[in-house]
């Protein structure tokens, strides 16, 4: 399912237009991205949590030349699924 399909589902279940539903979907994802950029955790009850994790700098290897390279520190967004969703997937 992509953003358009999610918006179509939202529109059909709420009786709104597809354009309004698409705006709502885009706003939700933008809010999650903005919170993550600030380092905040986003918790959606019954669905899961988005957290920002810091990945330290490390040594890596260029697979073509086998030369050692430095991989800089970065931040990544992780998702932990809620128990309710996990149970729905497995049962």
């Amino acid at each position: 399912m992509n953003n358009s399909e999610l918006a179509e589902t939202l529109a059909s279940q709420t009786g709104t237009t597809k354009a309004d539903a698409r705006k709502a979907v885009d706003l939700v994802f933008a809010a999650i991205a903005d919170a993550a950029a600030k380092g905040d955790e986003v918790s959606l009850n019954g669905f899961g949590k988005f957290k920002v994790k810091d990945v330290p700098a490390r040594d890596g290897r260029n697979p073509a030349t086998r030369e050692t390279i430095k991989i800089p520190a970065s931040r990544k967004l992780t998702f932990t699924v809620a128990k309710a969703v996990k149970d729905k997937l497995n049962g």
Side-chain angles (χ1 to χ4, degrees), residues 52-64:
V52 176
K53 288 191 176 180
D54 292 321
V55 179
R58 63 190 192 279
D59 290 333
R61 194 167 300 277
N62 181 335

Side-chain angles (χ1 to χ4, degrees), residues 5-78:
E5 293 168 341
L6 185 60
E8 283 182 34
T9 301
L10 182 64
S12 68
Q13 292 185 3
T14 61
T16 61
T17 65
K18 287 181 186 178
D20 287 342
R22 179 60 191 246
K23 286 179 190 175
V25 168
D26 291 343
L27 285 171
V28 168
F29 290 136
I32 291 171
D34 290 343
K38 290 188 282 185
D40 295 340
E41 178 180 297
V42 178
S43 180
L44 304 172
N45 290 337
F47 187 69
K49 288 183 191 177
F50 292 95
K51 282 187 187 178
V52 176
K53 288 191 176 180
D54 292 321
V55 179
R58 63 190 192 279
D59 290 333
R61 194 167 300 277
N62 181 335
T65 64
R66 308 295 292 162
E67 178 183 339
T68 301
I69 58 172
K70 290 281 187 191
I71 300 172
S74 63
R75 297 169 65 191
K76 69 177 183 176
L77 186 63
T78 63

